[in-house]
Amino acid sequence: MAEIVQQRIEDRIPELEQLERVGLFTKKEVKSIIKRATALEYKLHRLIVNKEDFIAYVQYEINILELIKKRRAHIHYQFKREEIEYPIIHRINSVFRRATNKWKDDVQLWLSHVAFCKKWATKGQISKVFSAMLAIHPDKPALWIMAAKSELEDRSSSESARHLFLRALRFHPNNKKVYQEYFRMELLHCEKLRKQKKELEKAEMDLEFQDQVSLPLCCCSFCPTEAEFVISLLNIAAIFDFTKELQDFILQDLQANYTEDSLTWDFMAKRELEAPGAGEELQTAKGRASDISRREEGCCQVYEEGVKSLNTEPMWTCYVAFCWERLKRKTNVQEIKNETPKNCQQLQYAEGAASVAMAATQLYSQSVSVWSLSLQTMMQLGSGDVGKLFQDALTRVNPKESLPLWQLQVQWSVANQTPEETEAVFKVVHLYPVLNHSIKESYLDWSYSTGGYKKARKTFTSLQENRPLSKAFFTRMIQIEKEQETPKMNSLREYYERALQEFGTSDDDLWLQYIQEELGPLGQPENCGKIHWRAMKFLEGESVERFTSRYTLLQTGHL
């Protein structure tokens, strides 16, 4: 081993001599490099090697490269790169290859090598790394996509990128992401050809361009498609300004073959918002408002046709969601409710949105998503029937799935009802243990904002035995205590102790926070030893190791 290490150090001598000769490093620095490199080399040639030693070696060499780069800029010296940087880069690539051969399954290690090659190595080296990585990890579509993009962007090789995508599709014939990125790559290649054609004015480029445009669609015909995938291709095509015919082709396919999918109707309806408007009409504020209303009316007509053709819950959900989203864009809900000629169109739209929302809830009265969107629509409109609608919704849907509706009711009640009515809502929620897990923090926050510390503490006391409980519930009470003008350490201890009863076997972070609290200005540092002993006794599994290492960092002032 000593002979191998000695040989590798001797191999460094020419580059180190050059560094000293040209004034980039001093003699003392060169000696320091030799000493550090020798230690690193010995670690790499032990019988049992660690991945961390390889990473440390690479990082040290990269740091030297960065330092050389800075000093070159400082003294304005840009020569002898082949004799200085190239041997270092070659050595780093060699170490990376040894590491990835040893730990083939470590994808992050492979990607670190790729990142190094992109910054420091030749473009050809990147291809070799990707090729070796894909031979080991052909089951990961993201790596194929990354490799193909690298060929296109780093080496400007559309042919190599296409070859990689086709190989990827052999391994992943049903992967939509691979098809989408392949489609995008071919369009980027077409765009490049168009620019070349324009610059060179060569008529024979026309044929090649047409062939390249048709290729992605031919490939996609082998992919099991659905409306969402076809729409994604259409959106990719829309990025490019030369794809109108291609977009029309995809759109026709969507309308002909995917009308049984609500996403098709949703997409077609929203396209009406992009419909061109009359030039003169857009010159005035009134004209622009009229144009928007016309577009929205066109959307609603498509949705109406959709719910007649496809009377399903997802279809109605899309329709109600659209109404709610557009309603949120209206700047003044109060104006909408005023029946004046100025906002007659807005009034009609508001009435239409309410009608759609109510129709959806009648048809799908057990759907949480339909009720959620419909209630938000009615809340946005400021309807006086919202309270009754919440009651109707919560009696119809499955209680185990009703949490989103309770959260909405709490939000509405806080904004529109008296504190007594809001507290009554909170208390009703806690009759359903499966729901109240995430409502407790809201109840605590609301109590603090409306009644101050005393009410918050009272709420905490009444809820702390009402399981299930969340860590956030306890940490919020701790935060409230610390926000007081004179926080009480005994109260903080009470909250930490109660939280540890629930989460002390698994949450090492909670123990550390407790220790840090005792080390703070309010605490008693002598208590930390007892807390540490208890933590080691109660924590289980990996949390013990995490606690031990982080506690050591805390003691040394590094946490």
Side-chain angles (χ1 to χ4, degrees), residues 474-488:
F474 293 103
T475 55
R476 178 62 184 129
M477 192 62 219
I478 290 168
Q479 184 184 352
I480 289 171
E481 181 68 47
K482 293 167 76 170
E483 287 174 3
Q484 304 313 301
E485 189 173 341
T486 54
K488 296 178 181 178

Side-chain angles (χ1 to χ4, degrees), residues 51 54 94-104 109:
K51 189 193 307 181
F54 281 82
S94 177
V95 172
F96 263 125
R97 280 194 294 273
R98 285 181 59 193
T100 50
N101 282 334
K102 178 75 174 174
W103 295 282
K104 293 182 173 67
L109 195 60

Side-chain angles (χ1 to χ4, degrees), residues 1 39 115 166 175 208 243 286 300 352 382 390 395 400 411 439 442 484 541 553:
M1 181 174 73
L166 290 174
N175 189 281
E208 185 178 356
T243 60
K286 184 178 180 180
C300 290
F390 272 115
T395 56
K400 293 181 179 180
Q411 176 188 333
I439 295 286
S442 301
Q484 304 313 301
L553 290 173

Side-chain angles (χ1 to χ4, degrees), residues 211-237:
D211 288 341
Q212 299 299 336
V213 169
S214 63
L215 181 57
L217 283 180
C218 293
C219 291
C220 291
S221 65
F222 294 101
C223 180
T225 55
E226 55 191 31
E228 183 181 15
F229 177 71
V230 176
I231 290 168
S232 73
L233 296 185
L234 191 54
N235 288 331
I236 292 170

Side-chain angles (χ1 to χ4, degrees), residues 307 311-321 356 359-360 363-364 370:
V307 294
N311 192 359
T312 63
E313 180 184 334
M315 186 66 247
W316 277 97
T317 301
C318 289
Y319 194 2
V320 179
V356 171
L363 286 167
Y364 300 98
V370 167

Side-chain angles (χ1 to χ4, degrees), residues 271-288:
R271 276 178 66 89
E272 293 294 320
L273 290 174
E274 303 167 7
E280 295 180 2
E281 187 182 50
L282 302 179
Q283 298 301 314
T284 65
K286 184 178 180 180
R288 288 190 291 272

Side-chain angles (χ1 to χ4, degrees), residues 142-286:
L143 298 183
W144 287 100
I145 293 170
M146 197 181 299
K149 283 186 173 181
S150 176
E151 290 295 325
L152 185 68
E153 296 168 5
D154 299 325
R155 301 187 65 213
S156 300
S157 176
S158 301
E159 194 61 40
S160 297
R162 183 180 300 115
H163 177 67
L164 280 167
F165 272 123
L166 290 174
R167 286 184 59 202
L169 289 171
R170 293 193 197 109
F171 287 98
H172 307 282
N174 298 319
N175 189 281
K176 296 170 189 172
K177 186 65 176 174
V178 175
Y179 278 101
Q180 288 165 344
E181 294 303 323
Y182 183 22
F183 185 67
R184 190 193 310 274
M185 184 279 293
E186 290 292 2
L187 290 173
L188 284 168
H189 180 57
C190 292
E191 186 176 50
K192 177 182 173 183
L193 291 179
R194 285 174 61 85
K195 288 178 180 177
Q196 290 177 350
K197 174 194 168 189
K198 188 175 181 180
E199 290 170 2
L200 302 174
E201 296 182 352
K202 290 183 178 179
E204 60 267 23
M205 295 295 286
D206 285 338
L207 180 59
E208 185 178 356
F209 168 67
Q210 292 297 337
D211 288 341
Q212 299 299 336
V213 169
S214 63
L215 181 57
L217 283 180
C218 293
C219 291
C220 291
S221 65
F222 294 101
C223 180
T225 55
E226 55 191 31
E228 183 181 15
F229 177 71
V230 176
I231 290 168
S232 73
L233 296 185
L234 191 54
N235 288 331
I236 292 170
I239 298 170
F240 301 86
D241 59 7
F242 58 85
T243 60
K244 186 180 184 307
E245 290 184 10
L246 183 61
Q247 291 180 60
D248 290 343
F249 178 85
I250 299 173
L251 196 59
Q252 289 171 11
D253 179 61
L254 183 69
Q255 291 174 300
N257 299 312
Y258 301 97
T259 52
E260 294 301 309
D261 193 320
S262 61
L263 290 178
T264 299
W265 292 98
D266 191 45
F267 178 78
M268 295 305 300
K270 288 175 180 176
R271 276 178 66 89
E272 293 294 320
L273 290 174
E274 303 167 7
E280 295 180 2
E281 187 182 50
L282 302 179
Q283 298 301 314
T284 65
K286 184 178 180 180

